[in-house]
Amino acid sequence: MLAVIRGAGDLATGIALRLRRARVQVVMTDLPRPTAIRRTVCLSQALLYGSMTVEEIRAVRAEGPEEARRHLAEGLVPVLADPEGRCVPALRPDAVVDAILAKRNLGTAITDAPAVIGVGPGFTAGEDCHAVVETMRGHTLGRVFYTGSALPNTGVPGLIGGFAGERVLRAPADGVFRQRLEIGSLVKAGDVAAEVAGTPMVCTLDGVLRGILADGTRVHRGMKAGDIDPRGETAHCHTVSDKALAVGGGVLEALLCLTGALEP
């Protein structure tokens, strides 16, 4: 069974891990220069460095569908610079999973594959996809909806360690992002994690820097550019999150249900 995952950020990577562990073949797509924050757990980094391993799953850059097929035969996860998903007709997957997390549909159609799964808000099961998986932290995280939509985006991150919006660091100005601290750094409120056009991006609380944009990324003021985990566990920077695994479990459930893979 083959699934194409549109997006290769941290939630999409959690989905890929769940599917690969269940022996589903996976191809991923993303921007040519990904804007992932949690770069240590994003298979999108294969597009920049040629390969990327998260936990035990190894991804490699592929230049097109034919090369992707060769990598699949080697047990790898191919990642294509293909944000529009143009590879889908050529690959003819059993499932398409839209995990771009744009909070709106950027072109996925219910006709793209026998099973089309939308991740998070912006999709309606029965209209532009066959199923939707909830991404909001809380009672329904990871739940699959075969009719209707996920909860609307509130713009407020979920609680971790008692903190919500304070966890997110945002670019202080338009310009080129200059990273000062590395992912995994223990930080205190007031520490400068990066700067843009001479304006510092200041840490908002104590914890571990779980994610930060790559140096040289062009940003706009207010753009999400970093993530602090107040629990302070540096090991969490190198494994997919509880949220990513929950969402990945929902996608796996939907995939098996929609394709009838386990029916006798």
Side-chain angles (χ1 to χ4, degrees):
M1 184 182 295
L2 172 63
V4 171
I5 303 176
R6 296 190 63 194
D10 59 317
L11 283 193
T13 297
I15 294 167
L17 264 62
R18 285 290 203 201
L19 297 188
R20 285 299 299 129
R21 288 167 180 164
R23 302 296 187 264
V24 176
Q25 291 188 312
V26 171
V27 173
M28 307 182 82
T29 69
D30 211 310
L31 298 166
R33 290 196 61 82
T35 55
I37 301 294
R38 295 201 61 210
R39 292 177 287 118
T40 50
V41 289
C42 291
L43 292 175
S44 61
Q45 300 305 287
L47 291 173
L48 300 178
Y49 304 112
S51 68
M52 179 69 180
T53 299
V54 177
E55 297 189 25
E56 77 280 12
I57 303 300
R58 182 168 178 248
V60 292
R61 184 178 59 228
E63 299 306 325
E66 289 305 316
E67 186 175 351
R69 288 192 183 95
R70 292 196 294 272
H71 290 317
L72 287 170
E74 299 167 348
L76 303 172
V77 174
V79 186
L80 287 78
D82 179 14
E84 295 85 14
R86 292 175 178 152
C87 67
V88 171
L91 291 171
R92 300 182 65 185
D94 300 285
V96 168
V97 180
D98 191 320
I100 297 173
L101 302 177
K103 312 300 190 296
R104 58 192 177 95
N105 189 336
L106 296 181
T108 292
I110 198 169
T111 54
D112 286 344
V116 177
I117 303 164
V119 177
F123 303 95
T124 302
E127 295 184 11
D128 53 6
C129 61
H130 298 101
V132 176
V133 179
E134 182 61 70
T135 57
M136 186 177 291
R137 287 188 182 273
H139 183 71
T140 57
L141 175 63
R143 188 172 294 274
V144 182
F145 301 100
Y146 297 97
T147 58
S149 305
L151 292 170
N153 179 41
T154 64
V156 179
L159 282 172
I160 292 181
F163 295 91
E166 308 96 321
R167 296 188 294 106
V168 176
L169 304 180
R170 299 191 179 276
D174 298 344
V176 177
F177 189 81
R178 294 304 178 194
Q179 177 189 354
R180 284 196 183 179
L181 299 179
E182 298 291 335
I183 294 174
S185 298
L186 292 172
V187 299
K188 297 285 187 181
D191 288 352
V192 176
E195 62 179 45
V196 181
T199 305
M201 185 177 80
V202 178
C203 294
T204 48
L205 48 83
D206 299 352
V208 62
L209 191 64
R210 192 172 65 157
I212 191 168
L213 283 175
D215 187 73
T217 303
R218 184 160 291 279
V219 298
H220 59 265
R221 188 175 185 272
M223 178 176 172
K224 184 177 179 181
D227 178 15
I228 297 173
D229 188 336
R231 295 170 295 188
E233 294 286 345
T234 57
H236 291 177
C237 299
H238 304 286
T239 54
V240 298
S241 68
D242 53 347
K243 179 177 178 177
L245 288 177
V247 171
V251 171
L252 178 59
E253 174 196 320
L255 177 61
L256 296 178
C257 178
L258 293 168
T259 60
L262 299 183
E263 292 180 1

